[in-house]
Amino acid sequence: MDKPPLTLFLAAPRGFCAGVDRAIKIVEMALEKWGAPVYVRHEIVHNKFVVDGLRAKGAVFVETLSECPEDRPVIFSAHGVAKSVPAEAERRNMIYVDATCPLVSKVHIEARRHAENGLQMIMIGHAGHPETIGTMGQLPDGEVLLVETVEDVADVEVRDPARLAFVTQTTLSIDDTADIVAALKARFPAIVGPHKEDICYATTNRQEAVKAIAPRCEAMLVVGAPNSSNSRRLVEVGAKAGCPYVQLVQRAADIDWRALEGIASLGITAGASAPEELIDEVVDACRARFALTVEMVETTVERVEFKTPRILRTPA
């Protein structure tokens, strides 16, 4: 039986960003330098396939520093940690490597700088997300107030409306954040924002690529983990940009093929922590069911690279 024709629009950029690439490299280099086991506090990045691969090489993933022995190195995840975590590692004389994405570290520095200038912080982010916990943990309790929605802005209680600053989680939707920023500026005209957009270049680029393909697609697959904030934002952006059906899948096995019956055009993208081999797996699964015509839609070329920490580039 002939396979039905399908035009597949492949978004670019997609998948791994420089921060994720660096974080994975840090775990691999730590294993090479110190041997297994190397402990990692929280998933290094939000992708089961990546985490399982590193676990097979000797990485041990834990949620708290108390689960780590003092005589083995520990790595902090790309999402960043509260100031108390490295302080505790130093108190215990542990070797630790900070894999926090440099763009998240930039937000941490902004928050501390504003606090030194006597400003109370408002953070736009998702409650409970590791990045939000890490950023809020740069300052004492009560110094960072969290808002998740435009509605939250009306209810937030501040110490002094004239002495405020805001930062944002790096993996949010640009459009949603713009609405919240506008609400903050309307309520607190003196509020100080970042010199440069906190939302990371990779989040922005992946969302723009999705906006470019969404109007041309009857359906879209976003390859990414359900606990990946930037992947979930791609689903929302795709739907808002005009794609009638957007599905988040971790791997090809998760695709709901019944929902794709009868379509003639499909978009594929991936969150910043999804490796290219999982995207290839999804494309191959489509090729097995459809007569594919693949069209790459590239909105920008990324050339960003981040250095690994010096401790990993010196002999043990």
Side-chain angles (χ1 to χ4, degrees):
M1 194 175 79
D2 288 344
K3 295 175 187 174
L6 179 69
T7 301
L8 196 154
F9 295 103
L10 199 54
R14 63 183 176 276
F16 275 4
C17 63
V20 165
D21 209 33
R22 172 180 178 268
I24 294 165
K25 212 173 280 176
I26 284 172
V27 180
E28 291 172 340
M29 289 172 75
L31 286 163
E32 281 173 30
K33 178 167 180 169
W34 292 297
V38 164
Y39 285 75
V40 184
R41 186 188 178 279
H42 191 69
E43 290 184 347
I44 188 71
V45 296
H46 284 157
N47 188 279
K48 185 179 185 300
F49 180 82
V50 171
V51 168
D52 287 348
L54 293 171
R55 189 179 281 122
K57 294 177 182 178
V60 178
F61 292 89
V62 297
E63 285 305 312
T64 64
L65 213 54
S66 60
E67 297 170 71
C68 304
E70 285 168 11
D71 62 346
R72 296 305 302 164
V74 61
I75 297 166
F76 305 145
S77 87
H79 307 98
V81 293
K83 273 176 79 174
S84 58
V85 177
E88 172 66 8
E90 284 174 16
R91 190 190 65 75
R92 293 175 60 193
N93 292 318
M94 299 173 77
I95 294 172
Y96 69 87
V97 186
D98 190 354
T100 301
C101 173
L103 299 176
V104 175
S105 296
K106 177 182 83 76
V107 178
H108 290 184
I109 292 163
E110 278 173 22
R112 292 196 293 266
R113 190 186 73 242
H114 287 314
E116 284 162 11
N117 292 332
L119 304 182
Q120 189 178 23
M121 298 297 308
I122 292 178
M123 178 165 190
I124 303 169
H126 292 301
H129 189 277
E131 186 187 328
T132 300
I133 293 167
T135 301
M136 293 181 74
Q138 299 305 302
L139 301 177
D141 285 352
E143 286 305 302
V144 186
L145 307 171
L146 181 66
V147 297
E148 296 188 77
T149 63
V150 168
E151 291 71 32
D152 289 345
V153 173
D155 299 327
V156 70
E157 293 181 16
V158 302
R159 193 167 51 232
D160 180 353
R163 299 192 62 73
L164 287 175
F166 73 88
V167 293
T168 68
Q169 185 179 320
T170 63
T171 53
L172 300 180
S173 154
I174 315 151
D175 300 334
D176 290 349
T177 308
D179 292 343
I180 299 171
V181 169
L184 282 171
K185 287 179 175 176
R187 187 174 170 203
F188 307 113
I191 197 164
V192 176
H195 292 304
K196 193 170 178 292
E197 183 64 71
D198 282 341
I199 292 173
C200 91
Y201 78 93
T203 299
T204 302
N205 291 347
R206 278 148 193 72
Q207 290 178 14
E208 291 302 322
V210 162
K211 287 178 186 176
I213 65 171
R216 304 169 70 183
C217 302
E218 292 171 76
M220 187 184 298
L221 300 176
V222 176
V223 182
N227 62 337
S228 162
S229 175
N230 74 82
S231 299
R232 292 203 314 271
R233 298 297 79 73
L234 290 176
V235 173
E236 293 168 5
V237 169
K240 275 189 180 176
C243 184
Y245 177 79
V246 190
Q247 189 183 128
L248 179 67
V249 297
Q250 295 201 71
R251 303 198 61 163
D254 302 323
I255 298 170
D256 180 0
W257 295 107
R258 288 169 304 175
L260 304 182
E261 281 176 13
I263 65 165
S265 56
L266 176 70
I268 292 183
T269 188
S273 47
E276 189 67 17
E277 56 201 291
L278 295 188
I279 303 157
D280 291 343
E281 182 185 277
V282 167
V283 173
D284 289 343
C286 292
R287 189 171 278 115
R289 288 166 175 79
F290 298 94
L292 276 196
T293 302
V294 179
E295 184 180 326
M296 179 89 77
V297 180
E298 188 169 62
T299 51
T300 190
V301 177
E302 294 178 346
R303 293 189 175 90
V304 179
E305 280 185 44
F306 295 133
K307 272 188 178 177
T308 50
R310 184 175 292 146
I311 189 173
L312 294 172
R313 292 181 270 125
T314 55

